[in-house]
Structures are given as structure tokens and as C-alpha cells.
């Protein structure tokens, strides 16, 4: 680096800590950072430092400067990495869910994950109204009940119904909830995917994606339409089969963001596991926090569900530590714990 250039960066060194305050990552293209905060808000000196600091000091790892979320195709804002799942527990409807969503939002969370099959859109709408959080701060994901849809028009209408129930003018992300594992044959899957594209073009959905789809299904949809899903949501934790871990890597290499459900090891395990407990003790964290961190450290978003305010806050408190490569590998290779079950949402390729 030329002496003049080095001097310019050093003169701005006092501003570099602001990058941490703004939660930028040097691994993100500079123009994305500018778009996220507004170019006029960033002193030219800091812009030069952000661009040149990796050359001067070397690249910074994700534990040193973290992005606030994940960039998802179709959206101008980042998708939060730690959401609130609203599926499959006794408290996923009614007043308990309303209070849970409000607690999550009050603790600073901003991604609410729901689905038509959960039957709780009205409760989520009420929680959002009571929370007072502005719509533009929220990220709301829902999923099409594919069993009820056969044509693109069916999907467009399903999106409209969800918007009415959620009392929203648009969804940040809408997914097809399942493919072959849900009895949806390839031709029908394609029709439903075209329906989501129609909804996106109409502006009722910003980003579109899939849930419980394997590589073969995704490649088929892309080849037939030329439209790549922004997100694939699937079960992901240390005990999914290798083919699921391969699918996650393939999605990420293809530019598809992955969101994990069942992060605590399936519906019956509830974060158990001897190795998990050992790692949790080492970091002074709960088993659940370690398993969620395991996914986050692989750039996978998580949507844990919780009922108590304490657990909700614990699930959001994941930024203060990062698993070492050794611990990450140890968890990945850990023996499957007893009482383990997993969802069976794919015929093959994703936790089937």
C-alpha cells in the first residue's frame, strides 16, 4: 500500500470502531453497506477506511464485525438471522402466542415466521398491533398451504388471504411449504412456484422461496422458470443426515439463503445431547444457545420457538460468543442423542 494511502487510513482509524457500532462486515460489498445506512450518513474518510482497512489490517472475521442480517433476493432490507418460530407447540395460538410474539419484539427481535397451516395469522396480527413496532422494522415470513393449491391463481389468492389475516399490505417472504414430501408432484410444484412469482410481481410479496425442497426439486424449478428461490427453509441441526448438510452447502453456493427449523434437534430432543452439554458448559451458555450458534456459525438463519420470556431472550442472546472450529466440528460429529426424532418432510435430500 502506498504511504499516502496508509496515512489516509490511519488518520481515519478513530472512525473504524463505528463499523462495529453499525454492525457492518468487511465481507459485504461496500455498496451494500452504503445502501443499508445511506451514503450521506457515512463520512468520506470512513468510507475510505472501510474499503481499505482489509488491505492494511487483513480481513476481519465474522466474530469481529457482524452483519445485522442476511441479504435475500427481492428485498431491500436484510433478513434478521434470529427469528421467532410459531409452529407446533401448545402455545402457538391464542393469547400465549400473542404474548410470546410481543416479548420477542420487545427484546429486539424482528423476524416472525408463520405459515398458513399453523392457523395463527390473526393472533400474530394482534401481537404486532399491540407491540407498536413499525411495519418497516419487521420481517414477516409465511408459507403457502400447498395442499389447498393447484394453480398459480390459487397461490395468489392464498397470499391475499394471509395478508388480510395478518393485516399487512405485503409479506417480506412467502414460501411454498413443501414439495414431494407433501404429495406435490413436479408439475403441480411448478404451477405453485409460478403463482408465487405472480404474487411477487404484483408487489404483495417481496421475496419468494421454498421450504422442504431438495436439490433436484429446486434445480427443476429454476430450469423451468429461470427464477431462483431466495430462501430454502428446512430442518437443520447436527443430527440431520449428510445429504441435508450437503443440501445446505449447495444452496449457499447457489446463492440461496437457508433458514433452519428444528434447530434444537427435532421435536422430541429439546436440545439434549452429551456433547452439546459439554460445549455449553465450556462457553457458559445453554444447550439451546449452543445449537442455535452452531447453525448461525454456518451462515444459516434460525427461527426457534419459545414460550417463556426468559427463553425468548436467551435465544436472541447469541452474539456474545462464537464456536471454535473444533467445537463446531465436534458438534457436527456428535452421536445422535436418545429420544431423537426428526420431521419427515422430504422423500429424499432434506432430512427424509
Amino acid at each position: 500500500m502506498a504511504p499516502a494511502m496508509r496515512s489516509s487510513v490511519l488518520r481515519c482509524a478513530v472512525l473504524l470502531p463505528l463499523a462495529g457500532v453499525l454492525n457492518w462486515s468487511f465481507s459485504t460489498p461496500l455498496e451494500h453497506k452504503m445502501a443499508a445506512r445511506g451514503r450521506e450518513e457515512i463520512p468520506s474518510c470512513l468510507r475510505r477506511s472501510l474499503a481499505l482497512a482489509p488491505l492494511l489490517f487483513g480481513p476481519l472475521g465474522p466474530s469481529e464485525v457482524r452483519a445485522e442480517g442476511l441479504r435475500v433476493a427481492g428485498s431491500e432490507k436484510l433478513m434478521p438471522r434470529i427469528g421467532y418460530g410459531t409452529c407446533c407447540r401448545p402455545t402457538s395460538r391464542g393469547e400465549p402466542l400473542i404474548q410470546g410474539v410481543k416479548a420477542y419484539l420487545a427484546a429486539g427481535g424482528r423476524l416472525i415466521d408463520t405459515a398458513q397451516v399453523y392457523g395463527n395469522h390473526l393472533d400474530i396480527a394482534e401481537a404486532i398491533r399491540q407491540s407498536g413496532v413499525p411495519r418497516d422494522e419487521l420481517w414477516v415470513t409465511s408459507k403457502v398451504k400447498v395442499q389447498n393449491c393447484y394453480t398459480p391463481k390459487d397461490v395468489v389468492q392464498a397470499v391475499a388471504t394471509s395478508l388480510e389475516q395478518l393485516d399487512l399490505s405485503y409479506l417480506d417472504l412467502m414460501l411454498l411449504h413443501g414439495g414431494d414430501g407433501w404429495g406435490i408432484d413436479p408439475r403441480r410444484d411448478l404451477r405453485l412456484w409460478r403463482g408465487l412469482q405472480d404474487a411477487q410481481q404484483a408487489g404483495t410479496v417481496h421475496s419468494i422461496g421454498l421450504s422442504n425442497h431438495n436439490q433436484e426439486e429446486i434445480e427443476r424449478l429454476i430450469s423451468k422458470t429461470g427464477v431462483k428461490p431466495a430462501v430454502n427453509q428446512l430442518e437443520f441441526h447436527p443430527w440431520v443426515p449428510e445429504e441435508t448438510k450437503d443440501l445446505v452447502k449447495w444452496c449457499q453456493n447457489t446463492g440461496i439463503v437457508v433458514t433452519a427449523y428444528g434447530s434444537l434437534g427435532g421435536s422430541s430432543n429439546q436440545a439434549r445431547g452429551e456433547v452439546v452439554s459439554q460445549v455449553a458448559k465450556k462457553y457458559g451458555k445453554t444447550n439451546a444457545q449452543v445449537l442455535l450458534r452452531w447453525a448461525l456459525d454456518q451462515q444459516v438463519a434460525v427461527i426457534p420457538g419459545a414460550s417463556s420470556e426468559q427463553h425468548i431472550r436467551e435465544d436472541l442472546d447469541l452474539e456474545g460468543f462464537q464456536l471454535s472450529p473444533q467445537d463446531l466440528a465436534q458438534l457436527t460429529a456428535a452421536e445422535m442423542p436418545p429420544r431423537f426424532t426428526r420431521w419427515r418432510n422430504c422423500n429424499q435430500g432434506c432430512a427424509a
Side-chain angles (χ1 to χ4, degrees):
M1 180 182 292
M5 186 179 296
R6 180 182 294 270
S7 176
S8 174
V9 174
L10 290 175
R11 284 198 303 272
C12 275
V14 68
L15 291 175
L16 280 173
L18 289 177
V21 173
L22 296 176
N23 288 319
W24 286 325
S25 166
F26 289 126
S27 64
T28 305
L30 185 60
E31 62 269 20
H32 289 176
K33 307 181 191 78
M34 303 305 178
R37 288 289 176 178
R39 187 177 294 268
E40 72 282 357
E41 298 181 17
I42 306 169
S44 60
C45 187
L46 178 57
R47 289 204 300 269
R48 290 195 301 271
S49 297
L50 286 169
L52 299 176
L55 301 177
L56 180 62
F57 304 111
L60 296 183
S63 63
E64 297 170 83
V65 181
R66 287 190 175 87
E68 290 179 340
L70 297 169
R71 188 158 296 279
V72 172
S75 176
E76 295 182 356
K77 60 186 177 184
L78 299 179
M79 185 181 82
R81 297 181 303 155
I82 308 172
Y84 185 67
T86 64
C87 171
C88 318
R89 59 181 185 274
T91 57
S92 63
R93 292 186 185 184
E95 189 62 26
L97 178 63
I98 293 172
Q99 295 305 318
V101 172
K102 287 171 59 180
Y104 167 79
L105 295 176
R110 288 297 181 264
L111 189 159
I112 303 169
D113 182 274
T114 182
Q116 293 173 345
V117 297
Y118 303 166
N120 57 19
H121 284 174
L122 294 175
D123 299 320
I124 290 172
E126 182 59 29
I128 292 173
R129 280 192 291 268
Q130 292 185 20
S131 75
V133 176
R135 173 64 182 97
D136 60 1
E137 291 186 15
L138 296 173
W139 182 288
V140 181
T141 297
S142 190
K143 311 174 196 71
V144 175
K145 187 176 181 180
V146 291
Q147 299 95 326
N148 288 359
C149 295
Y150 297 87
T151 69
K153 288 184 178 180
D154 290 340
V155 174
V156 171
Q157 180 56 52
V159 171
T161 299
S162 286
L163 290 177
E164 181 180 1
Q165 293 173 344
L166 289 164
D167 194 21
L168 301 174
S169 60
Y170 69 91
L171 281 161
D172 295 279
L173 175 64
M174 191 70 161
L175 312 174
L176 295 183
H177 210 154
D180 62 359
W182 291 51
I184 308 300
D185 65 65
R187 288 179 297 179
R188 184 174 169 188
D189 201 31
L190 176 60
R191 292 195 297 269
L192 304 191
W193 183 233
R194 292 189 188 280
L196 270 190
Q197 294 170 46
D198 292 343
Q200 185 180 42
Q201 291 173 0
T204 55
V205 176
H206 287 177
S207 300
I208 59 175
L210 306 168
S211 182
N212 304 312
H213 279 65
N214 59 34
Q215 181 176 338
E216 179 182 352
E217 294 173 293
I218 297 171
E219 288 180 324
R220 183 169 56 239
L221 294 177
I222 295 174
S223 68
K224 295 292 185 181
T225 66
V227 177
K228 182 168 60 178
V231 172
N232 189 23
Q233 185 179 122
L234 46 83
E235 183 177 358
F236 186 62
H237 48 71
W239 305 288
V240 294
E242 286 302 316
E243 59 183 358
T244 301
K245 296 171 184 175
D246 291 341
L247 174 61
V248 168
K249 294 176 184 177
W250 177 84
C251 285
Q252 293 174 330
N253 290 336
T254 307
I256 300 170
V257 173
V258 176
T259 298
Y261 66 79
S263 298
L264 305 189
S267 58
S268 296
N269 184 49
Q270 299 298 311
R272 296 182 182 89
E274 182 178 350
V275 173
V276 180
S277 297
Q278 292 172 356
V279 174
K281 183 177 181 180
K282 173 181 176 180
Y283 288 90
K285 297 292 183 178
T286 68
N287 286 22
Q289 287 174 315
V290 164
L291 287 171
L292 293 171
R293 188 74 250 179
W294 179 86
L296 291 177
D297 285 351
Q298 297 176 78
Q299 302 305 311
V300 173
V302 295
I303 48 170
S307 302
S308 74
E309 184 174 347
Q310 176 185 345
H311 289 162
I312 290 169
R313 289 184 175 277
E314 286 176 354
D315 290 346
L316 284 166
D317 183 22
L318 302 175
E319 297 297 340
F321 77 110
Q322 185 178 25
L323 299 175
S324 69
Q326 295 79 12
D327 291 327
L328 194 69
Q330 185 181 15
L331 287 166
T332 302
E335 183 179 353
M336 187 180 296
R339 296 179 60 190
F340 170 80
T341 60
R342 64 172 182 255
W343 300 100
R344 297 190 176 267
N345 283 322
C346 297
N347 285 338
Q348 60 179 357
C350 49

